[in-house]
Amino acid sequence: MTGFPILSVMLAIPALAAVACLFVSAQGARWIALIATLIDFVLGIGLWASFDIGGPQWQFVENAGSLGVFSWKLGLDGFALLLVMLSVFLMPICIGASWVAIEKRVQEYMAAFLITEVLMIGTFAAQDLFLFYIFFEAGLIPMYLIIGIWGGANRIYASYKFFLYTLLGSLLMLVAMLWMVNFAGTSDIPTLLNTDFPVQVQTWLWLAFFASFAVKMPMWPFHTWLPDAHVQAPTAGSVILAGVLLKLGGYGFLRFSLPMFPEASAQLTWLILALSAVAVIYTSLVALVQSDMKKLIAYSSVAHMAIVTIGLFAFNRQGIEGAMIVMLSHGLVSAALFLCVGVIYDRLHTREISRYGGLAINMPRYALLFLFFTMASIGLPGTSGFVGEFLSLAGTYRVSTTATLLCTTGIILGAAYMLYLYRRVVFGEIVHDDVRAMKDISLREMALLAPIAAVALWMGVYPESFLAPMRSDVATLEARIARATPKGDSLPTPGKAPATPAAHAEARP
Amino acid sequence: MNASLLMTLPELVLAAGAIALMLVSAWGGQGSTRLVSWASVAVLIGAGLALLGPASKGGAAFEGLYRADAFAAYAKVLIYVASAVAILIAPRFFAQGRGDDLRPEYPVLILLSAAGMGMMVSAGDLLTLYVGLELQSLAAYVLASFMRRDTRSAEAGLKYFVLGALASGILLYGISLVYGFSGTTLFSSIATAYGAGHSLGLTFGLVFVFAGLAFKMSAVPFHMWTPDVYEGAPTPVTTFFASAPKVAAVALAVRVAIEAMGPATDQWRQIVIFASLASIIFGAVAAIGQTNVKRLLAYSSINNVGFLLVGLAAGTQEGVASVLFYLTVYVVMTLGSFVVVLQMKDAEGEPVETLASLAGLSRARPGLALAMAIFMFSLAGIPPLLGFNAKLAVFTAAVNAGLYPLAVVGFVASVIGAYYYLRVIKVMYFDEPAEAYSGRATPVESAVIAVSAVFVSPVGWLLLAPLGVATMFAAKALF
C-alpha cells in the first residue's frame, strides 16, 4: 500500500459535499451530490483493483491515533471491501433516482444522503469497536430525517418506530462492547477477533449483539419496523435501506458474533435456524397477500435475509460464502426492485398493485427490466440470486436438514409472490386509462437500472470475481470457528465423504 | 495565612468584585446595567485567571477548611463560563416589553452565586460546604423571582425558596448527625470515622446528607421543584440554574462522597444507584407529556443528573473523571439549547415557550433548527455527537466497576429519553411551519449557539483526548 489514506478520503469527500450542499441551490445540490458519489465510486473501483487477493487480511489500514477512548483506525478485509463496493455503487444510483422525484428541500435531502454514505463506509471500514459503533448508530440520524421529512403519509410513525427499535437493540450491544473492552483491554477489532472470551460470558455477549443485529437484519419477529419504514420512505431511501443498511446486521454477525463468540454461536445456532425458518415461510406468505408493492418487496427482504442468517450459522465455507453473495445480490436486486416501483410510482403516485396492469403493452422496456429483477429475486440460475441461495442452502444442509428443508420452501414461495406481483402489474389488459398514458422508462431511469442488471448478471454467471476477494477471509473465519462447529445431522452416504475444503478449492480455477 | 489567601484568590476576586459592583449599581442606578454586566464578565475572567496560581494546586487551605485542587479548579472553570454566558444573554430578554428591564443587580447576584459555588466545590469541611451552598442558594432565590411583575416568576422564587430551605434543613440535620457521631466536621477526619467501623448514627447522617444534596442536584425523588422553577424563572436565569449550580451541586456531591465518605462507598452507592435510575426513568417518562419547552428541558436536566450519578456510583477515579467529562458536555448542550429557547418570540416580541411554536423551524430558521437538532440528538446520546461520548464515559466507568445491572437498565431507559428528544426534532423538521419567530439573535447569542453546536458535533472529537487527560488529572485530586 502506498500509505495514501484512501478510506479517510472516501469518508471526507461525501462529508464535505454534504456541508457544501446546504449552501447552494437545489440544482447545485443535485450535481454536487452526484459528483461526490461518483468520485467515491471511482475510488471504490480503485480499492477493488488494488486489493491484494491472498495478501494480508487487513488492507488499506490507516491509524490516525487515539481520540480519547477510541481511535481513528480504518481498514478493509474481503467482506468489508465487497460491502463498501455495494455502498458506493448504489449511492450515485440513489441520487439519480431522486433527481426529479424530490422537489422540496433538495439541499437537505442530498446532504442527508451523503452523510448516510459516510456512515455506511465508515461502519464497514472501522477497525475500532467504538468507532464501529459510532458509525453504526449514527446512521439512524439521517435515515430518521429521510423517512420523516420526505416520506409518505404515515411517515412520522414509521420514523419513530425505525429509530427507537434499532436504538434499543444497539444499546444492549454497547453494554456488551464495554464489557469486552474492559476484558481485553483494547477496542481494536483485529485483536478482539482473536480474543477468547470465557464461554459462560459469551452467551450473554452473543445475545446482546444479537439484540442489535437481529433488529437491523431484520429477523423475525423483530422485523416489524421494516415494512413501515420501507413503505413510507422515498424511493431512494428504500433503495439504500434495502441495499445497504440491512446488510449491517449480516455484516455484524459475520464480523463480531461468529469469530468473537464461536462457542455461543454454536450453542445458539438452533435459535437462528428456528427464527430464520419461521421468517422464510411466514414472511413469504405475508408477502403473497400484500396489495402494496413496496410492502411486498419489504417482506421478501425479510425472507432473503433469513437465507443469509442460516448461511452464516452453517459454520462452513459454502454457507458463509453463500450468505455474503445473498447479501450482495439482495442489495442489488431489491434495490433495483424498489427503483422499479419508484419508476411507476413517479408516474401514477400510487403503490397499489390493483391500480396497474398491462404495463407490458405500453412500457415494454420497463417490463423487460422488471422481469429480469423479478427472476433474480426468485433465484433463477444465471442471476446472482441463484448463486447465493444455492451456496447458502448447501452449506446449511450440512448442519440441519430440517432447517434447509423449511428454508428451501422459501424459494418456491418466493417464486409465487414475485410472479404473482409481476403478473398483476405487467401482464393482462390495461384497465385504467391513466395507466395507458404512462410513458416508458426514460434514459435517466434506464441509466439507473441497466448497471444493476449488468452486475446482477455478472454475479450470476461468473461469481468468482466476487468470491475471490473474500476467499482467504472465509478460510480465516472457518479456522477460527472450527473448534465450535456443531455436529450436523446430514449423514453422507457411506463411501462418499463430504466435500473437503481442499477438494472444494481445487474445483475452482 | 498568606498562602491560604492566595489559594482562595478566585473567591476573593469574585466577592470583592461583587461588592464593588454592587456599590456601582447602587449609585449608578438603572443606567449602569451595561457597565456592571461587562464588568461582571471581566471579574469572572479574572477569577478564572486566578485559578492559574496556587488556587488550582495549593492543596488544603485554612487548616483543611478549603481545598484548592485540580478537581475544584476544573469545576470552577465550568461554573465561571456558564455564569458569564448567563450574564451575556440576559439584556435582550429583559428588554422586550413588560417593563421589567434588566437591573444591575442581576450580574451582581450571579457573581455572588458564583462565589458561593466556588466555595461549594472547594469545600473541605461540612461548614464551608454549608456556607457556600447557602450563599449560592440565596442569590438563586432572588434571581428566580427577578421579574417582579410576573406572577410565574414570583411563584418560582417562592417555591424555590421554601423547598430549598427544606433541603438545607435536611442537609443540616445530616451534618449535625455526622458531627455528633464523628466529633468533627473536617472531611478527612470524617473519612477516618467512617473507616473505623459501622455506626448507625453515621449511616443516618450519610443518608440525610445525600438527601439534601439530591435536592440541590434535583435528583429523583427530590426533584419536584425543578420543572416549576425552570418554567417560571426568566429564561436567562433558567439557563443559569440548569448549568452552573448543577455543576457545583454534582461536584460537591462527588467530593463529599469520595473525600468524606469514601470508606462508606458500599452504603452510599445504594442511594446513588437508586437516585440515578429513578432520575433517568422518571425524567424520561415525565418529559414525554410536556408541551412547554422549558419544562421539557427541566425534565431533561433531571434525566441527565441520573446519568451523572451513574459515573459517581462507580466510585472510582475513572468514575469521577467521567462525571467531570459528562458535566462539561452537559453544560455546553444546556447553554446552547436554552439560548435557542431564548430566540422563541412571537410577532410582538413576547417570549413563547410552547413546543408547538417550534413547528417548521427548519424552514424559517434552518441554522437555528440545525443547532437545536444537534443539541437534542446529543442530549439523547446518539453518536457521533459528544453527548454519546459523555454517556459512554459514565457507563464505561460503571461497567468497569462491575455495576452491570445499572448499565443495562440505564441504557435501556435512555431509549425512553430518546423518544422525547426526537419529538422536538420531529416538530422542527417534519411538521408544517407555524408562525415564524420575530427578531434575530444578537452576536453574543449566535456565538454561544454556534460554539456549542460545533463543540458537540464530530469536530469536538478533537477535544476528546485533551479533555480525557484533564478530567483524569482533576479526578486524581480526590484519590
Side-chain angles (χ1 to χ4, degrees):
Chain A
M1 300 304 108
T2 54
F4 177 66
I6 185 162
L7 290 172
S8 289
V9 171
M10 282 179 79
L11 293 174
I13 287 173
L16 293 176
V19 176
C21 274
L22 295 175
F23 295 99
V24 295
S25 66
Q27 197 61 23
R30 290 187 181 111
W31 280 108
I32 289 179
L34 185 66
I35 292 168
T37 48
L38 282 175
I39 294 177
D40 254 23
F41 177 57
V42 171
L43 288 175
I45 301 267
L47 277 184
W48 199 8
S50 56
F51 187 82
D52 180 13
I53 294 171
Q57 187 187 3
W58 301 98
Q59 305 192 13
F60 314 108
V61 177
E62 42 187 282
N63 187 355
S66 170
L67 296 162
V69 289
F70 64 94
S71 47
W72 184 263
K73 201 157 180 277
L74 302 172
L76 292 177
D77 66 352
F79 299 133
L81 172 80
L82 289 169
L83 290 167
V84 167
M85 281 309 296
L86 179 66
S87 314
V88 295
F89 175 69
L90 286 177
M91 264 334 272
I93 293 175
C94 282
I95 303 291
S98 320
W99 203 261
V100 289
I102 300 294
E103 289 159 351
K104 57 168 191 171
R105 301 162 85 176
V106 179
Q107 294 91 335
E108 286 160 290
Y109 180 88
M110 293 301 168
F113 260 92
L114 290 166
I115 293 292
T116 312
E117 176 168 29
V118 176
L119 299 174
M120 289 181 317
I121 300 175
T123 310
F124 295 129
Q127 276 205 316
D128 180 283
L129 204 55
F130 290 126
L131 191 63
F132 166 81
Y133 183 83
I134 287 172
F135 283 124
F136 183 77
E137 194 68 9
L140 291 182
I141 297 179
M143 271 324 278
Y144 172 75
L145 295 175
I146 288 170
I147 297 174
I149 299 180
W150 296 278
N154 201 13
R155 59 204 160 86
I156 309 282
Y157 169 77
S159 62
Y160 273 113
K161 198 170 179 180
F162 166 75
F163 195 102
L164 296 176
Y165 240 87
T166 36
L167 179 64
L168 179 64
S170 306
L171 286 174
L172 290 172
M173 177 174 77
L174 185 57
V175 180
M177 285 182 171
L178 291 177
W179 191 92
M180 287 159 65
V181 172
N182 187 27
F183 176 84
T186 173
S187 55
D188 181 55
I189 289 178
T191 315
L192 286 169
L193 283 175
N194 292 310
T195 307
D196 294 318
F197 293 100
V199 175
Q200 62 275 27
V201 187
Q202 273 190 21
T203 312
W204 290 105
L205 297 175
W206 190 93
L207 284 172
F209 276 75
F210 175 77
S212 176
F213 298 143
V215 172
K216 278 263 176 182
M217 192 93 194
M219 293 179 72
W220 184 87
F222 311 107
H223 67 283
T224 60
W225 63 269
L226 183 71
D228 287 311
H230 265 314
V231 170
Q232 301 305 334
T235 300
S238 295
V239 170
I240 216 66
L241 197 58
V244 187
L245 291 185
L246 294 193
K247 309 300 168 288
L248 293 179
Y251 176 73
F253 281 127
L254 189 63
R255 169 70 65 240
F256 299 100
S257 299
L258 277 173
M260 290 187 191
F261 324 121
E263 279 84 9
S265 299
Q267 277 168 23
L268 290 158
T269 298
W270 63 269
L271 178 69
I272 295 277
L273 294 182
L275 291 182
S276 304
V278 174
V280 167
I281 295 171
Y282 170 79
T283 53
S284 298
L285 291 175
V286 173
L288 262 177
V289 297
Q290 293 305 316
S291 58
D292 181 310
M293 285 188 276
K294 268 186 152 181
K295 230 174 185 156
L296 190 151
I297 301 170
Y299 277 108
S300 84
S301 292
V302 182
H304 280 115
M305 287 298 114
I307 306 282
V308 173
T309 41
I310 55 163
L312 289 176
F313 284 85
F315 283 81
N316 54 44
R317 173 176 285 278
Q318 282 103 323
I320 295 166
E321 283 182 349
M324 266 306 286
I325 297 288
V326 173
M327 281 206 268
L328 296 174
S329 152
H330 174 264
L332 297 169
V333 172
S334 71
L337 285 172
F338 279 117
L339 285 172
C340 287
V341 174
V343 165
I344 51 178
Y345 178 82
D346 286 345
R347 288 163 173 67
L348 218 52
H349 294 283
T350 175
R351 292 181 303 263
E352 280 296 309
I353 296 172
S354 56
R355 288 282 288 107
Y356 297 94
L359 291 182
I361 297 168
N362 60 342
M363 298 176 75
R365 279 185 293 162
Y366 173 78
L368 177 71
L369 278 169
F370 194 13
L371 180 69
F372 176 79
F373 292 119
T374 303
M375 291 305 163
S377 175
I378 295 168
L380 197 73
T383 62
S384 56
F386 171 76
V387 180
E389 287 180 6
F390 181 79
L391 281 174
S392 180
L393 289 166
T396 315
Y397 189 80
R398 283 163 51 185
V399 176
S400 166
T401 46
T402 325
T404 315
L405 181 69
L406 292 173
C407 289
T408 311
T409 60
I411 303 201
I412 302 164
L413 288 168
Y417 61 72
M418 283 314 294
L419 291 174
Y420 185 42
L421 168 75
Y422 190 76
R423 191 194 70 73
R424 283 179 293 171
V425 173
V426 179
F427 290 157
E429 288 303 313
I430 296 180
V431 283
H432 303 285
D433 284 337
D434 46 2
V435 173
R436 195 185 308 278
M438 283 164 63
K439 289 194 179 65
D440 205 348
I441 52 176
S442 66
L443 210 59
R444 177 182 64 86
E445 288 157 345
M446 185 63 108
L448 301 178
L449 289 169
I452 307 186
V455 177
L457 203 58
W458 177 12
M459 204 185 286
V461 174
Y462 191 66
E464 174 62 16
S465 312
F466 302 89
L467 290 170
M470 60 177 167
R471 181 154 296 129
S472 61
D473 296 304
V474 176
T476 315
L477 181 60
E478 228 187 347
R480 171 84 183 140
I481 57 181
R483 65 168 195 254
T485 304
K487 196 173 167 334
D489 66 350
S490 64
L491 302 170
T493 323
K496 290 183 185 171
T500 58
H504 179 84
E506 279 162 22
R508 292 181 190 284
Chain B
M1 197 64 180
N2 274 340
S4 292
L5 283 176
L6 266 180
M7 282 188 239
T8 54
L9 194 59
E11 278 70 40
L12 292 179
V13 170
L14 285 174
I19 292 168
L21 290 173
M22 207 184 296
L23 293 175
V24 172
S25 60
W27 269 282
Q30 188 69 38
S32 61
T33 309
R34 226 180 121 74
L35 170 74
V36 174
S37 293
W38 283 107
S40 304
V41 174
V43 170
L44 283 168
I45 294 173
L49 292 177
L51 284 174
L52 294 174
S56 59
K57 43 190 173 288
F62 300 113
E63 278 92 46
L65 289 179
Y66 181 98
R67 290 200 178 275
D69 54 20
F71 177 79
Y74 191 95
K76 279 179 198 174
V77 171
L78 290 181
I79 291 168
Y80 296 161
V81 169
S83 305
V85 169
I87 293 173
L88 288 172
I89 60 175
R92 203 170 66 106
F93 177 84
F94 286 97
Q96 47 197 281
R98 295 204 219 167
D100 259 334
D101 272 358
L102 184 67
R103 289 186 306 280
E105 291 90 338
Y106 175 85
V108 173
L109 283 167
I110 287 194
L111 283 187
L112 285 172
S113 190
M117 288 186 278
M119 292 303 283
M120 282 164 75
V121 297
S122 284
D125 181 283
L126 289 173
L127 287 179
T128 327
L129 176 165
Y130 188 73
V131 171
L133 191 68
E134 283 305 288
L135 178 57
Q136 180 266 323
S137 302
L138 282 171
Y141 302 148
V142 184
L143 284 170
S145 50
F146 206 75
M147 289 205 297
R148 284 176 299 174
R149 297 191 184 83
D150 185 280
T151 46
R152 276 199 318 169
S153 177
E155 183 197 329
L158 190 63
K159 255 185 194 157
Y160 198 12
F161 177 65
V162 173
L163 288 170
L166 181 66
S168 299
I170 293 176
L171 183 64
L172 263 188
Y173 186 55
I175 289 177
S176 69
L177 278 171
V178 171
Y179 174 61
F181 282 86
S182 67
T184 173
T185 54
L186 268 182
F187 284 179
S188 48
S189 315
I190 293 172
T192 321
Y194 272 104
H198 183 70
S199 146
L200 193 62
L202 281 176
T203 309
F204 261 93
L206 179 145
V207 171
F208 278 100
V209 167
F210 269 87
L213 292 174
F215 250 109
K216 295 295 173 191
M217 290 188 284
S218 68
V220 177
F222 303 104
H223 62 283
M224 53 295 210
W225 58 273
T226 319
D228 289 344
V229 172
Y230 279 27
E231 186 191 354
T235 308
V237 177
T238 313
T239 314
F240 178 65
F241 284 173
S243 49
K246 199 77 101 181
V247 176
V250 172
L252 173 65
V254 169
R255 192 185 279 280
V256 170
I258 305 291
E259 271 196 351
M261 301 176 177
T265 302
D266 289 339
Q267 293 165 38
W268 58 253
R269 184 177 273 161
Q270 302 165 27
I271 303 176
V272 170
I273 289 181
F274 171 77
S276 157
L277 288 181
S279 303
I280 293 175
I281 294 170
F282 181 84
V285 172
I288 291 175
Q290 301 305 323
T291 53
N292 181 301
V293 179
K294 278 163 81 180
R295 271 189 99 81
L296 187 127
L297 288 174
Y299 282 108
S300 146
S301 85
I302 294 172
N303 182 255
N304 276 291
V305 167
F307 289 111
L308 282 162
L309 291 178
V310 171
L312 175 57
T316 54
Q317 187 187 337
E318 190 191 12
V320 173
S322 73
V323 170
L324 287 176
F325 178 59
Y326 197 108
L327 274 175
T328 315
V329 179
Y330 168 75
V331 164
V332 175
M333 295 186 295
T334 306
L335 290 176
S337 46
F338 272 106
V339 178
V340 173
V341 173
L342 265 184
Q343 309 305 317
M344 298 166 57
K345 291 188 299 285
D346 62 13
E348 280 85 51
E350 287 291 313
V352 281
E353 292 163 8
T354 56
L355 191 56
S357 76
L358 278 170
L361 189 67
S362 64
R363 267 168 280 179
R365 304 274 289 273
L368 196 63
L370 180 65
M372 190 65 165
I374 289 178
F375 297 135
M376 290 296 123
F377 276 126
S378 179
L379 280 166
I382 308 295
L385 305 168
L386 243 53
F388 163 75
N389 296 83
K391 283 201 171 65
L392 184 69
V394 290
F395 281 108
T396 307
V399 167
N400 290 356
L403 305 172
Y404 305 117
L406 175 65
V408 172
V409 178
F411 263 130
V412 171
S414 74
V415 177
I416 312 174
Y419 173 74
Y420 69 86
Y421 291 122
L422 282 185
R423 204 159 58 104
V424 178
I425 295 160
K426 175 229 153 201
V427 170
M428 288 192 305
Y429 276 85
F430 303 171
D431 289 0
E432 286 308 309
E435 200 187 339
Y437 296 134
S438 67
R440 285 277 147 194
T442 63
V444 172
E445 290 168 351
S446 308
V448 171
I449 296 175
V451 170
S452 329
V454 170
F455 179 87
V456 295
S457 76
V459 179
W461 285 2
L462 299 174
L463 293 171
L464 285 177
L467 275 177
V469 173
T471 50
M472 270 319 254
F473 181 72
K476 210 170 133 214
L478 295 189
F479 289 88

